Amino acid sequence: MSTFSELGLKEPIKKALVDLGYETPTVIQEKAIPQIINSDQDLKAFAQTGTGKTAAFSLPIIEQVDPSIKSTQAIILSPTRELAVQIGKNIEEFSKYIPDLKVATVYGGANIEQQIKQLKKGVQIVIGTPGRTVDLIKRRVLNLSQVQWLVLDEADEMLNMGFKDELDKVLEATPESKQTLLFSATFPKEVEAIAKNYMSDPVEITSGQKNQGSDNVSHEYYLVTERTRYAALKRVADVNPNIYAIVFCRTRRETQEVADFLIRDGYSADALHGDLSQGQRDSVMEKFRKKNIQMLVATDVAARGLDVDNLTHVINHKLPDQIENYNHRSGRTGRAGNKGISIALVTKKERGRLHPIERIIKKKFVHTPVPSGKEICEKQLFHLIDKVKNISVNEEEIAEFTPAINEMLAGLSREELIQKFVSLEFNTFLSYYQNAPDLNDLSSKENSRGRSSSEDMTRFFINLGRKDRLNPAKLIGLINDQGIGDKIEIGAIDILDTFSFFELDKNFEEQALLKFQENEPDFNGRNVNIEITKTDRGGGRDRNRRRGKSGGGFNGKRRSRDAKPNSKREFGRRREDTSPKKAHSGFGRRRRKS
Ligand code: AMP
């Protein structure tokens, strides 16, 4: 293993690294730094977050930039504002003993005038998000004609986010002679195309195996059903009282919903996604960094700029659409020498998607049973005892109350006292989980019944039939067009002459009614109405409700007997309707979103 001195860095940089506590270079730094310093050749690096890639490209650039020349000599493109800010901050730290070196970070959603003012003063290194960078080029305030280094950081993510045109424009604004440094965790064909079109004979380096996950991360999967997914998530939190995790979701809506549920159930959680304003996002990230929030529910993109080293878990509430993103997600834990666990909550149907991921990470997922109520109670109990044992006692402050307390507790033995204190904190968990079902059983039963399990489906009537040229494919299209939920499960379909029936995942019934009412869909000129049919399977409950254009009999207040006052669409809350956290102050901080 080499040292930073051996990599050819000058004194002021090495001094800054000592201040930051960087002792030895990481693998990617060891490979990239001398390569970039000693050669003009373009470079393609397979590196994920957490590998030290920021320093790998920043340090050799800082080493070579000429601070006596005011022109922009390096441009670093990053997919998100958060990541750009992070890189800018790192570069400022790395170059703090090089006084004339100026760095600017430019990104959308912030005052452009200020950024322009800064650029006009002369900045040698610019870090930017693609959109704002192009904007500044067009306004002729950012001149890239003297650029010697172009860095494309998280190139795969930039392309995922649709920045292809912006990348092209920035690349066009830079001179041929520059050295292009492309960093990406994955190399799908779009990234390869950029490498092919804009780089000449790049040298390839990797931090370990291409796309392979960190050795410090173990990968587990829990078999759930749509109905038990959320309950399983809560159990993961309950069985890990010190959890500090990112819960990844696929869509903004899913993210907000999971976070809302967790908050409502008393967990220390919040949401991070693109529908939030920049101010809200900054505030959530700050709270998470400071550990005022234990669980951050986030989309892949929003979590990108978050630099947190000590996550205990990454939880895949749902697997990412693009399997490569699993690597990005799980790479958020097991960083800086820590161990981490990446958990995937998967249904039997989704389980097949683990295999291609296993091939990428070159590790096997371990099937782990969803924690039982007993296991959780045990964990929480010992966590409590540990807390009691380690709590620092402020003798002075409590001294004045001690005599009165002693008097009140007189007559209780040590054993009784322990039992009572423990019960005070612990009873809520105990009673909550006492009769909790085994979620593993539920998932196996459900899975063995298959997707058309009648208990889990709601049968709908729709006022369209063969005479309206409805067929199953068109009906599925019509249902999917309403935006009821992601990959909503559609069961049996019966198309009759003038009307039809279809089944939907029961968890989506409210949402289906609502969406059909809101969207007022039209099918071949006919207004579409749906209603829940009387079921002959469910013990004769009268569940006949309509939500057509007129609003039918449903006004949002009448609910079927089994719906909880607060029940929302997606998350199965029938079996674990409340939370042990809800009425409990001892575990985790209870908080409400303002
Ligand atoms: P990155 O992959 O650039 O996001 O870096 C991941 C984390 O590792 C950041 O918190 C860096 O500050 C830290 N880091 C990077 N390189 C080193 C190093 N050589 N020694 C110690 N920490 C490092």
Side-chain angles (χ1 to χ4, degrees), residues 4 22 24-26 29 48-54 307 309 335:
F4 282 109
Y22 287 22
T24 44
T26 64
Q29 291 162 3
Q48 4 193 346
T49 39
T51 54
K53 66 183 169 63
T54 313
D307 191 32
D309 281 341
R335 295 172 64 159

Side-chain angles (χ1 to χ4, degrees), residues 107 110 113 138 164 168 225 262 274 326 344 420 519:
Y107 43 83
E113 295 305 327
K138 281 188 185 154
K164 168 88 175 62
D168 288 343
T225 66
L262 288 171
Y326 179 85
K420 280 182 188 288
N519 299 341

Side-chain angles (χ1 to χ4, degrees), residues 238-514:
D238 289 340
V239 86
N240 293 289
N242 289 326
I243 194 165
Y244 183 44
I246 302 183
V247 179
F248 280 100
C249 295
R250 282 171 34 251
T251 64
R252 294 168 184 194
R253 205 180 79 186
E254 182 195 332
T255 304
Q256 191 61 55
E257 285 180 344
V258 174
D260 285 348
F261 271 102
L262 288 171
I263 294 164
R264 193 191 64 183
D265 288 343
Y267 291 84
S268 166
D270 215 333
L272 185 73
H273 55 72
D275 282 346
L276 303 177
S277 70
Q278 191 57 55
Q280 285 171 314
R281 274 193 278 166
D282 288 346
S283 141
V284 172
M285 285 201 275
E286 194 52 25
K287 281 191 261 174
F288 188 58
R289 276 194 204 101
K290 288 185 174 158
K291 293 198 171 177
N292 291 336
I293 300 169
Q294 281 184 280
M295 281 190 287
L296 182 74
V297 190
T299 56
D300 292 279
V301 171
R304 270 311 167 93
L306 195 64
D307 191 32
V308 181
D309 281 341
N310 43 2
L311 293 184
T312 57
H313 292 77
V314 157
I315 303 173
N316 294 266
H317 180 258
K318 288 196 180 160
L319 288 173
D321 284 333
Q322 287 174 304
I323 53 168
E324 290 87 359
N325 271 341
Y326 179 85
N327 231 349
H328 277 307
R329 290 182 174 186
S330 59
R332 310 308 303 239
T333 183
R335 295 172 64 159
N338 299 319
K339 293 269 179 225
I341 301 174
S342 174
I343 293 176
L345 303 178
V346 293
T347 61
K348 200 177 177 196
K349 228 162 61 181
E350 292 162 345
R351 193 164 45 176
R353 299 188 59 214
L354 297 176
H355 301 308
I357 295 175
E358 285 177 335
R359 279 197 289 276
I360 290 179
I361 60 175
K362 297 203 165 45
K363 277 190 184 169
K364 287 271 175 217
F365 278 90
V366 177
H367 178 204
T368 311
V370 180
S372 66
K374 183 166 179 277
E375 219 178 317
I376 290 169
C377 288
E378 237 175 67
K379 267 278 174 65
Q380 290 286 358
L381 180 60
F382 288 107
H383 176 64
L384 171 65
I385 302 302
D386 204 44
K387 261 170 65 179
V388 170
K389 208 173 157 197
N390 293 318
I391 190 93
S392 51
V393 175
N394 190 332
E395 281 179 40
E396 250 175 59
E397 290 289 322
I398 57 170
E400 63 172 303
F401 308 108
T402 315
I405 295 170
N406 280 339
E407 202 174 313
M408 286 169 82
L409 298 177
L412 290 176
S413 68
R414 184 176 186 268
E415 280 67 34
E416 282 170 323
L417 252 178
I418 292 174
Q419 280 168 358
K420 280 182 188 288
F421 271 105
V422 167
S423 302
L424 183 70
E425 283 282 303
F426 189 57
N427 275 356
T428 330
F429 258 91
L430 209 56
S431 61
Y432 179 77
Y433 276 117
Q434 212 156 35
N435 298 315
D438 182 342
L439 297 187
N440 299 295
D441 271 2
L442 296 182
S443 60
S444 60
K445 269 184 211 144
E446 181 150 328
N447 288 325
S448 65
R449 282 198 307 264
R451 64 179 237 133
S452 57
S453 153
S454 55
E455 252 182 49
D456 306 324
M457 304 301 271
T458 296
R459 190 168 163 86
F460 287 84
F461 161 91
I462 185 164
N463 66 331
L464 302 171
R466 269 192 288 270
K467 285 196 170 143
D468 305 290
R469 302 185 178 201
L470 186 74
N471 60 31
K474 285 183 181 164
L475 179 57
I476 291 170
L478 182 67
I479 296 166
N480 286 336
D481 284 350
Q482 307 314 311
I484 297 164
D486 295 314
K487 303 217 171 127
I488 179 172
E489 199 165 344
I490 301 171
I493 289 177
D494 297 317
I495 308 277
L496 303 171
D497 269 357
T498 54
F499 56 88
S500 306
F501 296 99
F502 61 90
E503 287 183 340
L504 289 186
D505 181 339
K506 200 174 186 177
N507 291 313
F508 290 86
E509 67 179 39
E510 298 282 327
Q511 184 69 357
L513 291 168
L514 186 77

